[in-house]
Amino acid sequence: NIDDVLEETENKEVKTKDGFTIYMMITALNVIYLIFCYTQIKSLFTIENIKYSSYARQGFFQLMVVSLINIVMILKATGKNLKETQKQAQYKKIICIMMLIFTLIIIISSFARMTIYQQNYGNTRLRILVDFTLITEMILLIPTAMYVLKENINLMKVYFIIVVSMYCLVNFINIDYIIAKNNIDRYIETGKIDLEYLEEETGTDAIPEFIQILEIKNVDEQTKNETIRYINDVYEKLSNEKMDVRDLNMSKILAKKTLEGIK
């Protein structure tokens, strides 16, 4: 049927045109990312007059938006329904890999922003979770690059496995201990610590780190007294708490044993 042949030809032309449009969009985005990455790298060396909180937050959310755009564009560009020549296919791989490299630079920039922020203000649960998010982003770039080069993997399935695995890892890692350790190590180096936050947000897993404060030779009197008060409060609470099999908590048992050892 002549009409069917004409319709099929028109569809092929549309697909070819759509592919060309996507390639040009990715090319334009790469030019924008090149400028963006240059300003990001430059700003890392001129942050003295920048508010750290704004600097870190802007970098993180910029990364989220850029990553989302990149994934969508790469999936569009690597769609199997696009008719393309060998040169177009080669060009597509080059510009997609360039986009991934720029994304990696943006991730590193965002990680650097958050590191600077934590060095100045310490660790919190939210900041630790941001670090895990950035690490997850970096891991996701690996299957994305493989998909661009070979196109023989189920990208969405791999994404799902990586995200779920990182989520499980976050839930198994002792975040309270990490927060307490990093903040107390920061106190040893700088003399700055937010004990109120640590007392409110960390649990019994952080008790060994609080005890470490008392072992610091040049600890200031206020910090020492506040730490002793908190340790005594935790010990009293654990001593008065009656646990049966349903309430069994190894963290509390170990903390109580540790505190009994210093009494």
Side-chain angles (χ1 to χ4, degrees), residues 110-122:
S110 185
F111 210 105
R113 288 168 180 258
M114 187 53 62
T115 300
I116 294 169
Y117 189 35
Q118 290 173 343
Q119 287 173 348
N120 284 272
Y121 296 103

Side-chain angles (χ1 to χ4, degrees), residues 70-172:
N70 290 357
I71 290 174
V72 172
M73 293 303 298
I74 288 173
L75 290 177
K76 285 286 186 181
T78 52
K80 295 182 179 180
N81 62 332
L82 294 177
K83 189 180 187 314
E84 58 188 5
T85 64
Q86 186 176 357
K87 287 185 177 180
Q88 287 175 329
Q90 190 67 26
Y91 177 72
K92 174 188 68 178
K93 289 182 179 181
I94 293 173
I95 59 177
C96 286
I97 290 298
M98 286 179 62
M99 180 175 282
L100 290 176
I101 293 173
F102 288 138
T103 303
L104 178 61
I105 294 173
I106 295 170
I107 291 175
I108 294 172
S109 172
S110 185
F111 210 105
R113 288 168 180 258
M114 187 53 62
T115 300
I116 294 169
Y117 189 35
Q118 290 173 343
Q119 287 173 348
N120 284 272
Y121 296 103
N123 283 141
T124 65
R125 187 177 300 276
L126 179 60
R127 294 165 198 169
I128 293 292
L129 292 178
V130 167
D131 287 338
F132 270 98
T133 302
L134 296 175
I135 293 171
T136 304
E137 290 271 356
M138 294 181 71
I139 295 174
L140 290 175
L141 294 181
I142 298 173
T144 306
M146 293 173 60
Y147 179 79
V148 171
L149 295 174
K150 297 182 179 180
E151 300 184 12
N152 60 350
I153 62 173
N154 189 329
L155 193 59
M156 291 297 102
K157 184 177 180 180
V158 176
Y159 280 172
F160 178 79
I161 293 172
I162 291 174
V163 171
V164 171
S165 298
M166 291 300 291
Y167 176 79
C168 293
L169 181 63
V170 168
N171 282 275
F172 276 104

Side-chain angles (χ1 to χ4, degrees), residues 1 13 16 20 25-26 28 30 43 49 70 124 130 147 174 208 221-222 235 239 249 261-262:
N1 191 323
E13 289 177 354
T16 304
F20 179 78
M25 287 179 64
I26 295 179
N30 279 338
S43 67
N49 298 323
N70 290 357
T124 65
V130 167
Y147 179 79
N174 193 336
E221 199 66 26
Q222 182 179 353
Y235 179 72
S239 300
N249 188 311
I262 64 172

Side-chain angles (χ1 to χ4, degrees), residues 180-195:
K181 184 179 187 309
N182 289 344
N183 280 282
I184 291 170
D185 287 346
R186 175 174 171 268
Y187 171 70
I188 295 174
E189 295 178 3
T190 66
K192 299 177 181 179
I193 191 170
D194 187 351
L195 276 178

Side-chain angles (χ1 to χ4, degrees), residues 30-43:
N30 279 338
V31 174
I32 296 172
Y33 289 162
L34 178 62
I35 299 172
F36 181 76
C37 288
Y38 170 76
T39 58
Q40 292 294 297
I41 295 172
K42 184 179 179 181
S43 67

